Amino acid sequence: MGKALDGIKILDFTHVQSGPTCTQLLAWMGADVIKVERAGEGDITRGQLRDIPGVDSLYFTMLNHNKRSITVDGKNPKGKAILETLVKHCDVLVENFAPGALDRMGLTWEHIQTLNPRMVVASVKGFGPGPYEDCKVYENVAQCAGGSASTTGFDDGPPLVTGAQIGDSGTGLHLALGIVAALYQRNTTGRGQRVLAAMQDGVLNLCRVKLRDQQRLARTGVMDEYPQYPNGKFGEAVPRAGNASGGGQPGWILKCKGWETDPNAYIYFIVQAPVWKDICGVIGRPEWLTDPRYATPKMRLPHLMEIFGGIEEWTRTKTKFEAMDILNQHDIPCGPILSMKEIAEEPSLRKTGTVVEVDHPTRGKYLSVGNPIKMSDSATEVTRSPLLGEHTDQVLAELGYGAEQIAALRAEKVI
């Protein structure tokens, strides 16, 4: 059975994380991704955070599965000719260079259009058009500028960034969707188009509930599902809400058995209205059912910390998995705090391909994330990342270069 993106060729000018996330996802879905790198060096992440000397880092390998790598000196006229041939040969060009870098390479949108009017040119940038569009952006900068950091953490502490790479990988996922949509539209128009995913925009899209709350706060001056209610103070901007849920279902992280020595012996517990009776029964608090303070969800809101304190007395007598087993029997929403070690060792995630083991010729076996999107007619096989320039000869032969021409290019250090 074929893949969803069989026949689509991607010219991959991306590096580090945001762009490679995008192109790896397209490769997992069947696109032929040709990663263009500098000879002798390649993507900077090949050498970053190495755990084995002289071997491609996990940072690189986990972002570049299922791709082919070629090396080309784009500053050399013959190298530029190769790049232009690739533009004619491919369907999509993806880049996350600094603003203006593609133009300086001679690959302006107008020139690409003359070479291949069907090409989709997709870019990750830090900011969209505006006062900061020329600024350099990294993951944590995007989280701060996109509204995430200001709303993460506890009210008595500083803003916090999240461990989820919502700036880099999150924007890469947005860009992949834009590319697929542009390819679909090309079926009707016959034309390519430019696709832009700005990191600030991507982070904000993932923080939309906080923009919702900003408008609610401006209108009412208070938000009763936030931990600042009823005794704290609200300012003009959405405050940090600790572990409170952003979706209207009151939730909090509670200690479980073993929390004194295990930093992840915790569970997320949601006090959902339809199972309030079950919650009271499970934790042995039947008196809460007749307590007038707890009679309705709205009346419970000012007392949430007291309620969670009472629930925690019960969760501290159970491991997080024991608590999960009991609570799920009653459809009480909850979730264990899983460490990366626990996730890596979870058999069900291996079975579904969410976590995969990959064999690399110089690194050996390692774990990586697999395709998070499962398609019934387009199964994903995760293959290893390419060695630097591993497919240069192969790709050039596909472009019509003969063996002698390839040898000459190598002798001249064009490839």
Side-chain angles (χ1 to χ4, degrees):
M1 188 174 292
K3 304 291 186 183
L5 294 180
D6 272 351
I8 297 296
K9 291 189 176 294
I10 310 290
L11 182 54
D12 184 0
F13 278 126
T14 69
H15 59 288
V16 191
Q17 185 178 165
S18 59
T21 297
C22 168
T23 52
Q24 178 171 260
L25 186 61
L26 299 174
W28 280 340
M29 292 182 172
D32 177 14
V33 176
I34 302 169
K35 185 177 179 76
V36 179
E37 301 186 77
R38 289 178 292 178
E41 185 175 349
D43 189 322
I44 192 173
T45 58
R46 285 186 183 269
Q48 285 187 336
L49 305 177
R50 274 188 171 136
D51 57 321
I52 304 175
V55 172
D56 286 340
S57 72
L58 287 167
Y59 196 4
F60 176 85
T61 58
M62 293 175 68
L63 284 160
N64 291 281
H65 293 122
N66 296 58
K67 302 178 185 180
R68 298 195 286 171
S69 169
I70 68 170
T71 54
V72 180
D73 180 3
K75 296 179 180 178
N76 185 298
K78 292 181 180 179
K80 184 177 179 181
I82 292 172
L83 297 182
E84 290 186 342
T85 304
L86 282 166
V87 168
K88 295 175 183 177
H89 183 71
C90 293
D91 299 280
V92 183
L93 185 156
V94 189
E95 60 91 15
N96 62 333
F97 293 131
L102 204 61
D103 291 353
R104 291 191 293 273
M105 292 171 59
L107 292 175
T108 63
W109 167 248
E110 292 75 18
H111 185 48
I112 290 172
Q113 284 283 281
T114 64
L115 295 170
N116 182 358
R118 290 175 55 82
M119 173 162 270
V120 173
V121 177
S123 303
V124 171
K125 293 291 176 272
F127 294 94
Y132 306 117
E133 62 184 301
D134 293 328
C135 294
K136 197 171 186 178
V137 174
Y138 289 94
E139 168 68 43
N140 289 350
V141 174
Q143 289 193 30
C144 292
S148 174
S150 70
T151 55
T152 302
F154 287 86
D155 197 37
D156 58 354
L160 288 177
V161 296
T162 173
Q165 303 288 281
I166 60 176
D168 276 324
S169 288
T171 306
L173 296 175
H174 282 95
L175 188 66
L177 176 59
I179 289 169
V180 172
L183 289 171
Y184 184 81
Q185 188 173 17
R186 191 180 71 174
N187 292 333
T188 302
T189 66
R191 301 192 309 272
Q193 60 183 294
R194 285 177 286 186
V195 180
L196 170 66
M199 293 171 71
Q200 181 187 41
D201 299 2
V203 170
L204 177 57
N205 187 45
L206 298 174
C207 294
R208 68 182 68 184
V209 297
K210 299 301 182 180
L211 183 60
R212 172 204 68 190
D213 290 348
Q214 181 61 44
Q215 296 170 87
R216 293 172 56 223
L217 180 63
R219 185 177 298 275
T220 65
V222 66
M223 293 182 291
D224 52 15
E225 81 284 4
Y226 272 62
Q228 288 80 4
Y229 176 82
N231 300 316
K233 293 182 179 180
F234 288 90
E236 295 182 344
V238 173
R240 292 182 274 287
N243 292 314
S245 169
Q249 300 288 348
W252 206 251
I253 290 179
L254 306 178
K255 296 172 182 174
C256 290
K257 188 176 182 179
W259 68 272
E260 298 93 340
T261 56
D262 181 356
N264 296 298
Y266 291 81
I267 193 169
Y268 197 90
F269 194 109
I270 295 177
V271 182
Q272 191 178 38
V275 291
W276 174 246
K277 182 178 179 180
D278 294 279
I279 291 171
C280 296
V282 166
I283 68 170
R285 294 292 184 111
E287 69 275 12
W288 283 3
L289 293 173
T290 55
D291 191 322
R293 298 174 302 165
Y294 305 154
T296 67
K298 188 172 181 61
M299 293 174 71
R300 289 194 286 272
L301 287 175
H303 308 288
L304 280 178
M305 290 301 104
E306 304 164 29
I307 291 171
F308 284 126
I311 296 171
E312 190 174 63
E313 291 180 17
W314 178 82
T315 61
R316 286 175 64 169
T317 68
K318 306 285 185 293
T319 69
K320 60 189 176 185
F321 298 113
E322 290 170 344
M324 276 281 293
D325 290 341
I326 296 169
L327 296 172
N328 279 323
Q329 292 176 26
H330 300 272
D331 291 327
I332 298 170
C334 59
I337 308 304
L338 295 180
S339 70
M340 279 296 151
K341 184 176 186 295
E342 290 170 317
I343 288 172
E345 296 171 353
E346 172 54 48
S348 65
L349 296 179
R350 303 284 189 96
K351 187 175 181 179
T352 60
T354 299
V355 175
V356 295
E357 185 175 75
V358 183
D359 200 0
H360 189 275
T362 58
R363 162 170 288 284
K365 292 183 178 180
Y366 66 94
L367 292 185
S368 185
V369 296
N371 190 348
I373 301 170
K374 313 298 194 279
M375 301 173 69
S376 63
D377 284 2
S378 186
T380 298
E381 294 119 26
V382 176
T383 61
R384 67 168 175 85
S385 60
L387 301 176
L388 180 60
E390 180 177 351
H391 303 95
T392 302
D393 291 10
Q394 182 185 77
V395 171
L396 290 181
E398 292 171 3
L399 297 178
Y401 286 80
E404 291 184 1
Q405 290 175 291
I406 294 172
L409 290 169
R410 180 161 285 107
E412 296 176 45
K413 297 185 178 179
V414 177
I415 57 175

